[in-house]
Amino acid sequence: EVIHHDWIILAIIAGFMVLLLATSAGAVIRMLELDFEDAFAYWLLGVCERGAVFLLGTSLLAYGILLWIPQILESQRMLRASNWR
């Protein structure tokens, strides 16, 4: 089954967006200087910077790139074949 090119690009963009939003949320929490004795603020900062949200963004990005590699190799093969003619 061939995966549509749009889904691959969408996974890569979604990975970058999740990482951007998680980093931005972590920066806002640090700039607001929330009381880190509050368990929720400390938990939210950890989730944004090192936790599940960071892993989700990294996983989406890696998955999209891994799906994109065969398409890049196929494009190179087609380009080489067209240059030989």
Side-chain angles (χ1 to χ4, degrees):
E1 177 179 324
V2 177
I3 298 176
H4 198 283
H5 182 71
D6 292 341
W7 287 106
I8 295 171
I9 298 301
L10 184 62
I12 293 171
I13 291 171
F16 276 122
M17 291 304 295
V18 168
L19 289 173
L20 174 69
L21 292 175
T23 304
S24 299
V28 167
I29 291 170
R30 287 192 182 275
M31 285 175 43
L32 291 176
E33 297 178 353
L34 294 176
D35 183 18
F36 286 111
E37 297 298 322
D38 182 21
F40 179 73
Y42 186 73
W43 173 81
L44 187 60
L45 183 63
V47 166
C48 288
E49 290 185 345
R50 299 176 304 276
V53 178
F54 177 77
L55 290 175
L56 173 65
T58 307
S59 298
L60 280 171
L61 187 59
Y63 182 65
I65 290 172
L66 284 176
L67 291 177
W68 196 16
I69 289 172
Q71 289 186 349
I72 293 171
L73 294 175
E74 179 64 22
S75 296
Q76 284 183 336
R77 187 194 63 75
M78 290 172 46
L79 183 60
R80 285 186 186 132
S82 68
N83 283 341
W84 281 102
R85 290 186 218 171

